Amino acid sequence: MKRFCLAVSICLLAVISVSAQVRYGVMGSVQASDVTSVVDLTSLDATLGTLEVPIDQRVGFRAGLMVDVPVTERLSIQPQLLYSVKGGNVDVGTFIQDALVRFGVSGTFPIENSVSKVVVNYVELPVLVTYRFAAGPGQFLVGAGPYAAVAIGGTVNGEPIDFDTNGFRKRDFGATASLGYELPGGLSLSAYYAHGLYNFSKNATPNFAAINPTNPTASIDPSAFGGTLRNRSYGLTIGYFIR
């Protein structure tokens, strides 16, 4: 990811140095995010298959700076540097109960506060290739491209995440797409979707000892689920080009 960011930065500097029409702006978004989580139980027993962890969306935000670098009259490269708040509400109780059923364990295990609220704060670098075409007084914008991100903090149920000891990796990267409309004065409104392609779980298999479903007062840590974890988010963005 460091090589990707360095390559993007060099390319952008090269393009900016030969372009006199570069625009700089600010942007802010309200976004809904969640995490796709699939736990592979076959490493424990080949007959168990996979189990999806139920994770509900949470509302966050992202905000930062953007640059629009023209390539042609209609085509431009638009890098963004953002602070982005992602995560999801993990239904730990349902996951534990479903997992126990797979293992053939009968009965119900009550788990207090069985929904874990996960919040991860990222510094994010999307780089969109944007195509624009005239419509009314302004122009429609269609963009797509990769993003890279690094987590700088977060919480699980209000407790700080220690990325050195828990099961979450800091890195993330994926793809994003947007559709919007820009007015002549530089004000824009757009919708976007971002899909993570990187599994940020450190653990290949679930750590049921850490989850400890038979103890109703146990500390429930979703990072112990293992398997695959990938971010997803979408939202609405208001942007303004100062120049």
Side-chain angles (χ1 to χ4, degrees):
M1 189 170 65
K2 291 180 179 179
R3 293 180 180 177
F4 167 77
C5 293
L6 179 60
V8 169
S9 300
I10 293 174
C11 291
L12 291 176
L13 287 174
V15 174
I16 290 173
S17 66
V18 298
S19 176
Q21 303 299 322
V22 176
R23 298 185 299 162
Y24 305 91
V26 294
M27 59 183 292
S29 308
V30 175
Q31 72 177 0
S33 63
D34 65 5
V35 177
T36 62
S37 178
V38 178
V39 177
D40 185 1
L41 302 177
T42 58
S43 60
L44 305 175
D45 188 319
T47 64
L48 295 178
T50 61
L51 186 62
E52 184 173 351
V53 181
I55 301 179
D56 294 328
Q57 293 178 345
R58 70 174 309 278
V59 176
F61 72 94
R62 64 176 195 169
L65 307 174
M66 59 180 177
V67 180
D68 188 73
V69 183
V71 177
T72 68
E73 183 179 354
R74 296 183 180 275
L75 194 67
S76 66
I77 298 175
Q78 192 174 104
Q80 303 163 357
L81 182 62
L82 308 174
Y83 177 83
S84 182
V85 180
K86 297 183 179 182
N89 298 323
V90 185
D91 189 344
V92 177
T94 298
F95 170 72
I96 295 297
Q97 194 65 52
D98 291 346
L100 292 175
V101 170
R102 291 285 184 93
F103 279 101
V105 179
S106 60
T108 301
F109 294 89
I111 301 176
E112 294 182 0
N113 302 319
S114 64
V115 175
S116 287
K117 298 179 180 180
V118 180
V119 179
V120 183
N121 307 316
Y122 290 94
V123 172
E124 192 169 284
L125 175 65
V127 180
L128 278 68
V129 177
T130 302
Y131 183 81
R132 63 196 69 228
F133 52 93
Q139 49 192 350
F140 275 111
L141 309 174
V142 179
Y147 77 83
V150 60
I152 58 173
T155 60
V156 175
N157 292 328
E159 296 295 324
I161 295 176
D162 184 346
F163 289 93
D164 294 328
T165 60
N166 85 341
F168 295 148
R169 292 189 176 99
K170 288 185 175 182
R171 298 184 300 279
D172 185 30
F173 65 83
T176 185
S178 68
L179 176 65
Y181 188 80
E182 182 180 335
L183 294 170
L187 185 66
S188 66
L189 177 66
S190 61
Y192 69 92
Y193 174 73
H195 193 95
L197 302 175
Y198 181 70
N199 176 19
F200 63 90
S201 172
K202 294 179 182 177
N203 306 315
T205 58
N207 182 359
F208 284 110
I211 299 172
N212 194 5
T214 61
N215 182 358
T217 62
S219 175
I220 306 300
D221 183 0
S223 71
F225 289 176
T228 60
L229 299 171
R230 292 185 175 90
N231 281 310
R232 296 186 300 190
S233 61
Y234 64 90
L236 293 175
T237 298
I238 295 178
Y240 179 69
F241 283 107
I242 302 170
R243 170 195 158 186

